[in-house]
Amino acid sequence: SMDVTPSFGGGTALSDWNMLLRLSESTGTLGFRYNQLKTGAVDLRFQTGAGSECKYEVEKWDPAGESLIWVQVPSLAAGDKIIMRWGNPDAAEPAFATDGSSWSTSHLGVWHMDGTPDDSTAAGNDPVASGTVTDSAGAIGGSKYFDNSRLDVPNGPHFETPDNLTVSWWAKRNGWRENWEAFIAHDGENNNGWMIRRNNNTDRIQTVVRGTAGGDGMEPSPQYNVPNLTWVHMVFTYGGGNRRFYADGTKIMDQPD
């Protein structure tokens, strides 16, 4: 077994948190060796310090390099630890590792861009490529490169939640292809639509939520310019009549609608 202490130092405990764990023999992960686990890591298990089992999803298992595991932590406060266990010869892969239940129903969709970008949640909204979408290196594992192309996710009504919305993604732009280019969008030009996009012909970000009391498109104030050829983790939330936008963990926008 091995203790995992997340680098979380917030004052308020997180709940229903899916934590990324990156495993590799070459990064000084003490006590971990791939050859100690069964094929496919079916004997891998996680639990809280109090002994409660944590569900997980293996995004990528690579005995020759880095593996990516998403662990669902019921509650996480500063200083808490997660215990990783392995080595049970009778262990079989748990159902939650593949059936989507390691992501709660509050996650409308989760798409990893390393390999086939199927929906990791139980909803199973697997996207279909429109145009040529190719594999590329990413900030976490692999990514997808879009060149006048996109991934279309089915079941549009599943994502019509403008009153309580959070979307997050990693992005690295290589110039721009067109004005008003969207990073992520749902039915963007219609009454129930929302999207995060380029503001016209600038480098600035714009948030769009249709059908609310405020204007459809709003920019952070002060404005935020999306850097070129740089990975950025972006988060947009809408709730309680406020729009919030974060870049690499820094709050850029917190404005009433």
Side-chain angles (χ1 to χ4, degrees), residues 192-255:
N192 291 321
W194 51 263
M195 62 179 149
I196 315 301
R197 67 182 182 185
R198 176 191 192 190
N199 186 5
N200 198 356
N201 61 352
T202 71
D203 290 337
R204 302 195 304 268
I205 203 82
Q206 184 186 60
T207 68
V208 178
V209 183
R210 306 288 186 191
T212 65
D216 288 344
M218 293 177 61
E219 285 190 60
S221 179
Q223 298 160 339
Y224 176 72
N225 292 311
V226 182
N228 196 39
L229 297 175
T230 302
W231 282 106
V232 182
H233 183 244
M234 305 185 194
V235 179
F236 171 70
T237 73
Y238 179 79
N242 271 49
R243 303 186 192 196
R244 298 176 179 87
F245 178 79
Y246 303 79
D248 289 335
T250 299
K251 184 186 291 185
I252 305 296
M253 177 185 197
D254 190 349
Q255 297 166 216

Side-chain angles (χ1 to χ4, degrees), residues 8-252:
F8 173 67
T12 303
L14 303 174
S15 60
D16 184 25
W17 176 251
N18 286 76
M19 177 185 73
L20 174 64
L21 179 63
R22 309 174 77 158
L23 289 176
S24 171
E25 292 184 2
S26 63
T27 56
T29 307
L30 299 178
F32 172 76
R33 293 293 180 268
Y34 280 111
N35 62 14
Q36 296 176 350
L37 285 90
K38 297 178 70 174
T39 301
V42 298
D43 54 330
L44 189 63
R45 297 293 187 273
F46 297 92
Q47 66 183 60
T48 66
S52 298
E53 184 173 32
C54 299
K55 297 180 179 181
Y56 66 88
E57 176 206 3
V58 178
E59 176 186 346
K60 178 182 180 182
W61 188 253
D62 182 7
E66 183 181 65
S67 297
L68 306 174
I69 300 99
W70 294 90
V71 183
Q72 185 189 53
V73 183
S75 178
L76 181 67
D80 284 353
K81 68 179 181 180
I82 303 300
I83 302 170
M84 185 173 75
R85 300 187 183 277
W86 64 91
N88 180 355
D90 299 321
E93 185 175 56
F96 59 68
T98 57
D99 67 6
S101 63
S102 61
W103 299 89
S104 71
T105 55
S106 64
H107 293 85
L108 298 183
V110 175
W111 300 272
H112 307 302
M113 296 293 147
D114 195 343
T116 303
D118 288 343
D119 184 5
S120 288
T121 74
N125 290 304
D126 300 338
V128 176
S130 175
T132 301
V133 178
T134 56
D135 292 330
S136 185
I140 301 173
S143 70
K144 292 291 181 280
Y145 181 76
F146 302 94
D147 185 4
N148 196 23
S149 58
R150 64 181 185 269
L151 291 174
D152 291 329
V153 177
N155 193 15
H158 182 68
F159 302 96
E160 290 179 359
T161 58
D163 293 332
N164 186 17
L165 172 70
T166 298
V167 290
S168 66
W169 68 101
W170 284 92
K172 182 174 76 171
R173 71 178 182 90
N174 185 359
W176 298 103
R177 181 176 57 84
E178 62 185 16
N179 295 350
W180 305 109
E181 188 170 353
F183 287 99
I184 185 168
H186 164 65
D187 206 15
E189 299 300 332
N190 295 315
N191 287 336
N192 291 321
W194 51 263
M195 62 179 149
I196 315 301
R197 67 182 182 185
R198 176 191 192 190
N199 186 5
N200 198 356
N201 61 352
T202 71
D203 290 337
R204 302 195 304 268
I205 203 82
Q206 184 186 60
T207 68
V208 178
V209 183
R210 306 288 186 191
T212 65
D216 288 344
M218 293 177 61
E219 285 190 60
S221 179
Q223 298 160 339
Y224 176 72
N225 292 311
V226 182
N228 196 39
L229 297 175
T230 302
W231 282 106
V232 182
H233 183 244
M234 305 185 194
V235 179
F236 171 70
T237 73
Y238 179 79
N242 271 49
R243 303 186 192 196
R244 298 176 179 87
F245 178 79
Y246 303 79
D248 289 335
T250 299
K251 184 186 291 185
I252 305 296

